[in-house]
Amino acid sequence: MAIDKTIKKKVIEDWQNAFPQLTMYAQNKLYKVVGSCVLGIELIKSPHTESYSPYFVLYPIWKKDIKASLDYPIYLSDFKNKKGYQYDIPYEKHSVFFDDVVNSVKNQTPLPFEGNISLKQLATSIEDSSQKPPLSAAPNSYLQAVLQEAKLKTALFISIEEAQKVLEQISKRSWDVNHFKACGIDVSQWLQGLQATITNRDEFLKQIEANRQDKKISHLKSSELTA
């Protein structure tokens, strides 16, 4: 039986009240803008039961438009209960579990929802996500490269110098050429593309600003990404 809309409305309102630093983006999504990214909490409905699980999400906002930017997160991670399992909260029993879940989210969130975030904090959280399964099983795959590219682009928001440091680290990696090929990517062309993005930083920043002005996210609360 489908859950009443008023119950789902109460659920998101409770989350909004618990995390006033975030803004409601949709009925199951609370976001804020931090520099070149959007981060927040998504309440993802379980496919087979009338329950939901909270996730931390981090999206880029440097793609060609806001729809493309919010299509797939850089970082998606669940929150665990005291037994180490992912929370699966029945909508009908939301109020029973809520306080415990909120405490876990506040303790486990990879990035703080309050205040400004430093580039180092952001880079560390992206690096941490790259070292968790299943990504950790293939450290030089194209999927890992996508995360490193995100690290470079968050650095580029701060400065060319910071981005160049990340590119130097990326260039030293022994990337899995065959996995790149299987994904339709040529490693050397990809590296050249990263250098071109750094060189054209003004265009990169213009795209971020255009996306930040999009009415879909322009109402979100925001903090600074600091050096």
Side-chain angles (χ1 to χ4, degrees):
M1 193 175 82
I3 290 295
D4 191 291
K5 282 183 182 175
T6 54
I7 292 175
K8 289 190 176 179
K9 190 177 176 214
K10 171 78 166 65
V11 167
I12 195 67
E13 283 174 354
D14 283 351
W15 279 95
Q16 172 73 90
N17 290 334
F19 295 94
Q21 318 88 324
L22 305 177
T23 309
M24 195 188 300
Y25 176 81
Q27 201 179 10
N28 63 331
K29 297 174 180 179
L30 297 168
Y31 293 160
K32 73 180 283 190
V33 175
V34 180
S36 56
C37 299
V38 162
L39 61 83
I41 296 169
E42 291 185 8
L43 310 177
I44 298 178
K45 186 187 176 301
S46 305
H48 308 300
T49 60
E50 290 300 330
S51 59
Y52 73 89
S53 303
Y55 283 79
F56 169 84
V57 290
L58 176 70
Y59 291 93
I61 46 173
W62 53 69
K63 295 189 179 178
K64 63 177 182 178
D65 54 34
I66 205 64
K67 185 176 184 294
S69 293
L70 298 181
D71 184 43
Y72 194 78
I74 299 167
Y75 189 179
L76 174 78
S77 95
D78 61 5
F79 297 98
K80 302 282 197 287
N81 61 24
K82 289 182 178 71
K83 292 181 179 175
Y85 296 114
Q86 176 182 304
Y87 279 102
D88 190 40
I89 305 151
Y91 284 101
E92 296 278 11
K93 294 185 177 176
H94 158 78
S95 56
V96 176
F97 297 102
F98 187 59
D99 287 347
D100 178 51
V101 179
V102 166
N103 283 332
S104 292
V105 169
K106 287 179 176 176
N107 290 327
Q108 295 173 31
T109 181
L111 289 166
F113 297 129
E114 283 185 26
N116 297 333
I117 291 174
S118 71
L119 177 61
K120 187 177 179 183
Q121 284 176 296
L122 192 52
T124 300
S125 72
I126 294 172
E127 200 57 45
D128 287 348
S129 75
S130 76
Q131 291 170 17
K132 291 177 182 174
L135 284 171
S136 56
N140 295 312
S141 70
Y142 178 62
L143 299 176
Q144 286 279 5
V146 170
L147 279 179
Q148 296 305 314
E149 182 172 333
K151 216 163 106 178
L152 181 146
K153 288 179 175 175
T154 54
L156 185 58
F157 183 76
I158 297 295
S159 72
I160 285 176
E161 291 73 22
E162 290 292 345
Q164 208 70 53
K165 284 183 208 168
V166 180
L167 183 56
E168 282 171 24
Q169 294 165 0
I170 290 172
S171 300
K172 288 173 186 169
R173 293 272 283 264
S174 299
W175 295 107
D176 182 344
V177 175
N178 291 328
H179 189 265
F180 271 68
K181 277 183 185 167
C183 298
I185 306 292
D186 178 88
V187 174
S188 59
Q189 287 180 1
W190 173 66
L191 290 169
Q192 286 168 18
L194 296 182
Q195 184 61 67
T197 301
I198 293 174
T199 304
N200 297 307
R201 180 172 182 259
D202 287 350
E203 291 302 312
F204 173 77
L205 294 178
K206 272 184 201 166
Q207 188 59 62
I208 291 170
E209 190 52 36
N211 287 342
R212 285 184 63 142
Q213 297 303 323
D214 188 293
K215 64 179 188 295
K216 289 191 181 77
I217 68 163
S218 59
H219 66 291
L220 300 180
K221 289 177 182 170
S222 64
S223 295
E224 298 300 321
L225 180 63
T226 62

